[in-house]
Amino acid sequence: MDYLPLLSGIVETQQRRARLYRLYRDYDSGKHRLKFATPDFERKYGQQLGELRENLCPGVISAFTDRLHVETWGSSEDAQATALTEGLTRLVSLVDAEAWRCGDAYVLVWPGPDGTPTPHFHRADEIVPHVHPDNPAVLDWAAKVWVDGQLRGRVNVYDTEGVTRFATAPLPADSDTTALPADPAAWAAYSDDEAGDYIPHDFGATPVAWWKLGAVDQRGCGASILRDVIPLQDALNKSLADLVVAGEAYSRPLRYLLNYKPEATNPLAAAGEYMQAAAKVIAGSVKRRFDPTRQQIFTHDGGGPFGQLDPADLTKILATQDAYALKASRIVGIPPYYLTPTASDVPSGESLRVLTARLAARVRAYQRDNTPVLRGLAQLLGIENPVITWAPPQEIDILELWQVAQIKQDIGLAMRDVLDGLGIADLDDVVERAAAQRATSAEATGRALAAGEIPAVY
């Protein structure tokens, strides 16, 4: 297929989506926009607010991704060995974090130097996917867009048969994908190595796996978990700025002096009084100069005495900050203690499961939607008949697990069935030792009864 006419759409799509992905990435890393700040505000307080943040975004993301773990990739030893060799646990952790952060994430599989299929994680802004027109469950092709080490724009288009490679002329220094030309005439077939501009493969499918979060249809992209958190993060930053500015302005009692009002009604006499008052101010200023970094002067046209401005009530600002954290947890469906930790009233057991019900439901939806993607990735890596098993998103409290075990024992189940589900590593040894202990106890009890040490009960 001739992909050259499609390069314009590929580049424009990548640049458009990259702006949104950059916003999510910046907020997760703490690079927030001070949308409330005027130029004058930034000049006065920009230095104090430059590193100011109470970032809710990482906590929101990790509340979900911490519950995502693939336990098995298949029943065979080869499946587990491949997963271990390729570092799939770490790879999927990167993918999950990116998918919840930006809404999309990708893995490109390509033969390594020895010909073994090797997975490569790609961020949301590095791939432009295109679903098959007749089967939206699979990718028709996927384009990788980047700027290489020689500052050349690059596009690789992967489809079910191979990869077609394109490049531009060298770009200006420090260029990124925003500088890529959309005109197909600016692109040419890449032929800087022996492989040429087209490399076939034998995967039998487009070797790109696409993870989505909360996509509204099969053809569309996902939606970041931060989409509705960012406005609240901006409001929280505004509250933090208010706290800093209030502390800066009211850290000391500020005095204010109302404008001088002459006692005389005659204009000439009033002017004389004003000149005398001004002379006193000038004389005094020689001894004590006004320091704008430590003091502020307030004035108005009316008469009045000296006074003192009361400091701002910072407790209300602090309460507002906690309110924004609670709103964020409510919107995304995570318990409040994820963003506002408390040392008391820590939930457990059934109450914890109730509080995390929305969180667990959203994790299960993500697992359901992306299990086929994991199977596709496993097949690209050569794992036959992959069976993806996820760890449960909601864990039962350890005390409850032992209570369940006690109930199993009370109804007469075998020791292995009693201990099953407790996560005991050496279960066979534990069952064997328990059986031996029961036998020893039964033998000792029999000897005691025979010796009359324990009275028989009839």
Side-chain angles (χ1 to χ4, degrees):
M1 179 175 177
D2 183 12
Y3 291 104
L4 184 61
L6 302 181
L7 288 183
S8 177
I10 291 173
V11 171
E12 291 175 350
T13 299
Q14 190 279 334
Q15 292 173 342
R16 183 180 66 255
R17 292 179 180 173
R19 288 192 291 270
L20 182 60
Y21 294 141
R22 187 178 300 112
L23 175 69
Y24 296 139
R25 195 176 306 282
D26 285 348
Y27 268 78
D28 181 34
S29 63
K31 300 175 183 177
H32 299 165
R33 280 52 162 173
L34 297 180
K35 296 181 179 180
F36 54 86
T38 63
D40 181 66
F41 183 92
E42 289 191 359
R43 281 194 300 271
K44 286 185 177 180
Y45 302 105
Q47 185 175 359
Q48 293 97 319
L49 302 181
E51 297 298 325
L52 176 67
R53 59 180 175 267
E54 183 180 342
N55 199 355
L56 303 177
C57 300
V60 169
I61 295 172
S62 63
F64 295 94
T65 57
D66 286 350
R67 293 172 177 263
L68 291 167
H69 176 66
V70 177
E71 290 188 330
T72 61
W73 291 80
S75 56
S76 67
E77 294 184 359
D78 290 341
Q80 296 303 103
T82 300
L84 181 62
T85 302
E86 300 298 339
L88 292 186
T89 298
R90 183 175 182 272
L91 177 76
V92 172
S93 295
L94 292 173
V95 168
D96 291 337
E98 179 72 0
W100 288 84
R101 180 191 303 113
C102 294
D104 302 287
Y106 304 90
V107 170
L108 167 65
V109 178
W110 197 251
D114 61 352
T116 303
T118 305
H120 303 272
F121 164 73
H122 282 69
R123 302 184 325 192
D125 58 341
E126 293 176 321
I127 299 288
V128 176
H130 186 270
V131 299
H132 196 282
D134 299 324
N135 183 8
V138 300
L139 288 176
D140 185 23
W141 53 262
K144 176 180 177 179
V145 183
W146 80 105
V147 175
D148 65 17
Q150 286 72 44
L151 291 177
R152 301 179 65 182
R154 298 285 304 278
V155 171
N156 282 4
V157 184
Y158 298 85
D159 57 23
T160 58
E161 298 179 353
V163 55
T164 305
R165 307 196 291 174
F166 300 93
T168 67
L171 301 171
D174 300 325
S175 294
D176 56 18
T177 56
T178 61
L180 295 180
D183 185 0
W187 295 81
Y190 180 82
S191 57
D192 286 8
D193 55 27
E194 296 179 356
D197 64 330
Y198 180 78
I199 305 174
H201 65 70
D202 56 2
F203 288 111
T206 301
V208 175
W210 180 14
W211 279 256
K212 306 180 190 179
L213 173 67
V216 296
D217 59 63
Q218 288 177 294
R219 300 180 183 277
C221 294
S224 169
I225 193 67
L226 302 180
R227 180 181 57 185
D228 296 327
V229 176
I230 288 177
L232 295 174
Q233 181 68 65
D234 290 336
L236 174 59
N237 291 343
K238 172 61 167 64
S239 177
L240 288 169
D242 290 342
L243 182 66
V244 171
V245 172
E248 179 75 11
Y250 294 97
S251 59
R252 308 172 182 83
L254 299 177
R255 303 282 179 177
Y256 64 90
L257 177 65
L258 302 181
N259 285 345
Y260 178 78
K261 184 177 181 180
E263 298 178 357
T265 57
N266 184 285
L268 293 177
E273 291 181 24
Y274 177 80
M275 293 300 294
Q276 293 178 10
K280 293 179 179 179
V281 172
I282 294 173
S285 67
V286 174
K287 298 178 181 178
R288 178 179 295 177
R289 294 184 178 277
F290 173 71
D291 184 355
T293 65
R294 302 180 59 192
Q295 301 159 337
Q296 295 186 35
I297 294 177
F298 296 83
T299 182
H300 61 76
D301 294 336
F306 289 97
Q308 176 175 305
L309 294 177
D310 293 329
D313 186 0
L314 301 183
T315 58
K316 295 181 179 179
I317 300 179
L318 294 172
T320 301
Q321 294 170 10
D322 289 339
Y324 284 127
L326 291 174
K327 287 179 183 294
S329 63
R330 184 168 66 244
I331 284 176
V332 299
I334 61 178
Y337 62 80
Y338 274 91
L339 300 180
T340 55
T342 176
S344 59
D345 300 327
V346 178
S348 62
E350 183 64 25
S351 61
L352 179 61
R353 284 194 294 276
V354 171
L355 286 174
T356 58
R358 285 181 62 195
L359 184 155
R362 196 156 191 173
V363 169
R364 290 192 187 97
Y366 176 84
Q367 293 173 340
R368 180 191 63 239
D369 294 343
N370 292 287
T371 294
V373 184
L374 286 172
R375 284 201 296 265
L377 172 62
Q379 290 169 345
L380 288 172
L381 295 174
I383 298 176
E384 297 182 359
N385 301 319
V387 179
I388 307 301
T389 304
W390 296 88
Q394 281 183 311
E395 295 183 359
I396 300 178
D397 184 76
I398 186 63
L399 178 60
E400 290 182 287
L401 288 174
W402 282 103
Q403 290 173 341
V404 171
Q406 181 64 55
I407 294 173
K408 290 180 179 180
Q409 185 179 37
D410 292 343
I411 63 177
L413 294 182
M415 181 59 65
R416 173 175 288 279
D417 296 326
V418 169
L419 299 180
D420 185 38
L422 291 176
I424 298 176
D426 55 342
L427 183 58
D428 292 336
D429 292 340
V430 172
V431 171
E432 183 178 348
R433 290 196 299 270
Q437 179 63 36
R438 287 198 304 272
T440 301
S441 298
E443 182 180 355
T445 301
R447 289 196 301 268
L449 282 171
E453 298 174 0
I454 301 177
V457 179
Y458 300 97

